Amino acid sequence: MAAIMGVGEAKKRFSELMSRVAYNRERFLIERRGRPMVALVSAEDLERLEQEPLAPKGLLGAWADYEELDQVVESIYRQREEAQDRPVALES
């Protein structure tokens, strides 16, 4: 879980934050006016995030290559409609 910090405090403590991120693998979410703006993560974490095959862009690409996706989705809907354990309202 990333620690949340305002931009002013992050500016004052930037060198310390860099060390904590690099050596302790801590993560920080920097906010401006209460809105998250950026995250401080280690270079290793960034590299791993960019390489992840299931990152949002990668996931969309993977779905495009999955030919049976429509059949899987239809099967899930059919199973949920037939389920007797709880009522489920499905929209068409």
Side-chain angles (χ1 to χ4, degrees):
M1 185 67 139
I4 299 172
M5 179 176 301
V7 69
E9 185 177 352
K11 285 168 52 175
K12 289 181 207 171
R13 299 173 52 194
F14 188 68
S15 182
E16 172 198 347
L17 297 177
M18 282 183 52
S19 293
R20 289 173 64 179
V21 167
Y23 300 115
N24 299 340
R25 299 187 63 97
E26 293 180 56
R27 297 174 180 165
F28 295 91
L29 184 62
I30 312 300
E31 294 183 332
R32 178 182 287 156
R33 296 186 184 121
R35 289 183 41 223
M37 299 296 288
V38 298
L40 248 63
V41 298
S42 70
E44 291 173 3
D45 281 349
L46 177 61
E47 184 177 337
R48 190 177 68 247
L49 289 169
E50 290 177 342
Q51 300 287 326
E52 289 285 327
L54 294 180
K57 288 191 293 186
L59 183 59
L60 291 175
W63 279 352
D65 294 337
Y66 190 64
E67 296 175 8
E68 295 91 20
L69 181 61
D70 290 336
Q71 294 170 350
V72 171
V73 171
E74 286 177 22
S75 172
I76 292 169
Y77 273 95
R78 195 170 33 258
Q79 290 172 11
R80 290 194 69 193
E81 286 174 340
E82 295 170 359
Q84 300 293 318
D85 59 336
R86 62 186 170 92
V88 177
L90 298 175
E91 297 177 23
S92 327

